[in-house]
Amino acid sequence: MPDQRFQAQPPAHTDVPRPKRAEGQWAFGYTEPLNKNEQSKKDDDPLNVRARIINIYSKRGFASIDPADLRGRFRWMGLYTQRAPGFDGGKTATLGEEELDDEYFMLRVRSDGRLLDAGAVRTLGQIGVDFARDTADVTDRENIQYHWIRVEDVPEIWDRLDAAGLSSLEACGDSPRPFLGSPVAGVSTDEIIDGTPALEEIYRRFIGNPDFSNFPRKFKTAVTGHPGHDVCPETNDISFVGTVHPEHGPGFDLWVGGGLSTNPMLAAKLGVWIPLDEVADAWAGVAGIFRDYGYRRLRSRARLKFLVADWGVEKFREVLEKEYLGRELVSTPSPPTPVGHRDHIGVHPQKDGKFYVGIAPTVGRVSGSLLVQLADLIEEFGVAGARLTPYQKIVLIGVDEDKVEALVARLDEIGLSARPSNWRRNTMACTGIEFCKLAIVDTKERARLLVGELEKRFPDLDTPITVNVNGCPNACARTQVADIGLKGQLVMSDGEQVEGFQVHLGGATGLDANFGRKLRAHKVTSAGLDDYITVVVGNFLAARTEGERFATWVARADEELLRGEKALSPA
């Protein structure tokens, strides 16, 4: 039974919409568990599993793990069982989770927008080398993600992370997932306000706090004071976006209810001004609404976006103000929307006279040994540290001007280019079938090969075209908001099922934010992907008007050009 202290008690004067049937909303008194996930959380706070991992499972091994912990509560510690080898994509939907489980784990480590010094980067790299078969990926949630982790090694990994000021706590699960922060917070010459203190306060007060460890589902947070909106705020459950009030000065607008997957929705903008020192309170208010009013009956409707869609933004703001904050928020127009989102790749001046350098590992794939090499360069060149980005990239902060070019050259030698091709810069991929139990197709390797082929075919591409590759419908790689979004599925080719993709074209965040256009019954095989994208990009380059973006062209292009059924002659 949830603690009554943590439930909202709606006052009589607040007319909150009630669904026609019980949806498991605590605030309405519906506290009975309605699915196995809710039962598991009722049985035991998932935060308690940490002690069992340290004291029992790590000593007795994988076979000793309670299934309710293994496939549920472990996630609050950042641990998922990874996919056992030998199961093709056709088995993803037909086998039970326990049949797909390997006796190894994926482990996510949070960064939450923090500046990682050389010691922290070295720790992350050495963990990959020592415990994860040299794996390490930079994710689009600013995490480092490992594979091949043994439960026996988890306590030692946690000790190392603790010593470096890092954690995997609530990196997964129905919890406050890892935060996105601006990679250039505090140093950008364009920054409106530095949101770092707010992220630190939210983390201090609420991560590992039992009051906020049981949401209906995941809860994704983003904070940026950069005018480029560099944390993809439209797709998060809650985003604080830098804005300037004509009287009060810099602060944050509040956006709520964004999310992708099978029911994509863009965040609703409240049009408010929140000062830096009140961001954590506002976060707790929105998180409290989600906890107390969120739908818990069906997992498919348990995200905050469904509540926001049903209530509307005005009612959501009213409940936030009256029931959770106890005061009205200051109204102000939402900040201007930028064209696209800045990834901060390349060399850029900081406001303190130093420079930051954004570097691009291909589709986020690095390794433990590569992170150790990066730590060596951070130390050698006196760099302040590194931040991870929402686009699977890395930004080095605080580089002296006279060291920039030498550092860029050394980075290039280890495969971390600060001046990558447009394709390498703008392609992302989720984990895929290599390790993920939800995936249907290969993503990381397929995307890497795609980048290499497109670099050969379009070596001088003069405009950014984003390609996001996802192994299933869950959109971990933000498929629907890419210029070219590829959603993995099995497709028919010569009478056989093979790996392929449903194609989304012309998605965008920022100005003209929208979800990509899906063409009826249009699928592409994985083997045919290089040629398909070549035709579509070639058609865009031949037919575009001066300065036209890919997404804008897609909105007006004929279907035969988008399907790749017709190839235009080069302009």
Side-chain angles (χ1 to χ4, degrees), residues 212-425:
F212 296 91
S213 67
N214 183 355
F215 293 134
R217 275 196 71 190
K218 65 186 74 171
F219 187 67
K220 295 183 175 181
T221 301
V223 177
T224 183
H226 194 280
H229 297 181
D230 51 3
V231 294
C232 201
E234 298 95 337
T235 63
N236 286 271
D237 294 281
I238 179 170
S239 294
F240 295 91
V241 180
T243 190
V244 179
H245 189 280
E247 297 178 17
H248 303 302
F252 296 91
D253 191 12
L254 175 57
W255 300 8
V256 295
L260 298 176
S261 192
T262 53
N263 290 282
M265 300 183 195
L266 296 175
K269 303 176 183 180
L270 266 64
V272 296
W273 178 87
I274 299 173
L276 181 65
D277 61 0
E278 294 180 12
V279 167
D281 291 338
W283 185 95
V286 174
I289 291 176
F290 182 42
R291 177 194 62 211
D292 301 332
Y293 286 102
Y295 304 139
R296 293 176 182 262
R297 184 176 66 87
L298 296 175
R299 297 284 288 177
S300 60
R301 273 181 51 82
R303 293 292 298 276
L304 181 65
K305 62 187 178 183
F306 295 102
L307 192 68
V308 173
D310 289 347
W311 284 12
V313 68
E314 292 181 1
K315 177 60 65 176
F316 190 94
R317 176 175 174 177
E318 178 187 354
V319 173
L320 175 63
E321 292 175 335
K322 290 182 177 179
E323 297 184 22
Y324 291 84
L325 297 180
R327 62 183 184 278
E328 292 187 4
L329 295 168
V330 176
S331 295
T332 193
S334 293
T337 303
V339 177
H341 290 264
R342 296 192 179 181
D343 59 11
H344 305 298
I345 296 301
V347 178
H348 306 270
Q350 297 180 180
K351 60 186 179 184
D352 61 0
K354 294 192 176 186
F355 287 76
Y356 68 84
V357 180
I359 52 181
T362 303
V363 297
R365 178 135 286 177
V366 287
S367 66
S369 53
L370 182 58
L371 290 176
V372 171
Q373 290 178 287
L374 179 60
D376 290 341
L377 293 181
I378 291 172
E379 286 184 339
E380 179 181 345
F381 286 88
V383 178
R387 284 199 179 106
L388 310 180
T389 87
Y391 301 95
Q392 300 180 340
K393 307 300 187 292
I394 303 171
V395 177
L396 303 182
I397 304 294
V399 182
D400 292 331
E401 183 175 9
D402 61 352
K403 297 178 180 178
V404 166
E405 288 306 318
L407 174 60
V408 167
R410 294 285 296 282
L411 288 165
D412 203 46
E413 289 175 6
I414 64 172
L416 294 173
S417 175
R419 298 183 177 106
S421 71
N422 257 308
W423 299 112
R424 180 169 168 180
R425 177 174 182 166

Side-chain angles (χ1 to χ4, degrees), residues 483-484 504-507 516-517 519 536 540 548-558 562:
D483 286 315
I484 301 173
H504 300 246
L505 294 174
R517 180 177 172 183
L519 306 179
V536 173
F540 160 66
E548 187 173 29
R549 294 180 294 142
F550 183 85
T552 308
W553 172 76
V554 166
R556 67 175 179 82
D558 293 337
L562 302 179

Side-chain angles (χ1 to χ4, degrees), residues 12-278:
H13 61 269
T14 304
D15 181 20
V16 179
R18 288 175 177 259
K20 294 180 180 179
R21 63 182 298 183
E23 293 287 355
Q25 294 164 286
W26 288 358
F28 293 144
Y30 300 122
T31 55
E32 285 303 309
L34 298 170
N35 57 55
K36 69 174 184 177
N37 303 84
E38 293 301 310
Q39 180 67 58
S40 176
K41 290 181 286 183
K42 180 184 178 183
D43 291 343
D44 185 39
D45 189 320
L47 296 177
N48 294 333
V49 80
R50 178 182 174 93
R52 291 194 289 277
I53 292 172
I54 294 172
N55 299 319
I56 300 173
Y57 303 142
S58 67
K59 292 178 169 59
R60 299 181 183 175
F62 187 90
S64 70
I65 303 172
D66 184 323
D69 285 342
L70 181 66
R71 301 183 188 95
R73 303 181 192 105
F74 264 49
R75 298 175 185 181
W76 274 253
M77 299 300 116
L79 291 160
Y80 273 100
T81 49
Q82 69 186 39
R83 187 188 192 96
F87 293 107
D88 62 35
K91 301 295 194 301
T92 299
T94 59
L95 294 181
E97 188 173 15
E98 67 283 355
E99 296 176 272
L100 290 171
D101 281 336
D102 201 353
E103 295 191 0
Y104 297 93
F105 293 89
M106 175 207 78
L107 174 66
R108 287 182 188 151
V109 178
R110 313 173 64 114
S111 78
D112 301 304
R114 294 176 184 172
L115 183 65
L116 307 174
D117 63 17
V121 174
R122 186 177 304 283
T123 294
L124 290 169
Q126 203 61 51
I127 288 172
V129 171
D130 293 345
F131 304 110
R133 300 190 186 181
D134 206 24
T135 60
D137 289 336
V138 180
T139 79
D140 58 14
R141 296 297 310 172
E142 299 183 358
N143 303 317
I144 290 293
Q145 186 164 289
Y146 302 107
H147 300 284
W148 302 109
I149 298 295
R150 301 166 63 246
V151 71
E152 291 89 345
D153 296 325
V154 169
E156 171 65 20
I157 293 170
W158 282 346
D159 285 345
R160 294 192 190 185
L161 291 174
D162 288 343
L166 296 168
S167 174
S168 67
L169 182 61
E170 295 185 301
C172 311
D174 300 346
S175 66
R177 294 289 186 94
F179 311 148
L180 296 181
S182 171
V184 294
V187 301
S188 169
T189 57
D190 301 322
E191 188 173 56
I192 297 168
I193 184 171
D194 181 359
T196 303
L199 281 173
E200 292 173 344
E201 183 67 2
I202 295 169
Y203 188 97
R204 184 188 69 80
R205 289 169 56 182
F206 305 121
I207 298 303
N209 182 339
D211 297 13
F212 296 91
S213 67
N214 183 355
F215 293 134
R217 275 196 71 190
K218 65 186 74 171
F219 187 67
K220 295 183 175 181
T221 301
V223 177
T224 183
H226 194 280
H229 297 181
D230 51 3
V231 294
C232 201
E234 298 95 337
T235 63
N236 286 271
D237 294 281
I238 179 170
S239 294
F240 295 91
V241 180
T243 190
V244 179
H245 189 280
E247 297 178 17
H248 303 302
F252 296 91
D253 191 12
L254 175 57
W255 300 8
V256 295
L260 298 176
S261 192
T262 53
N263 290 282
M265 300 183 195
L266 296 175
K269 303 176 183 180
L270 266 64
V272 296
W273 178 87
I274 299 173
L276 181 65
D277 61 0
E278 294 180 12

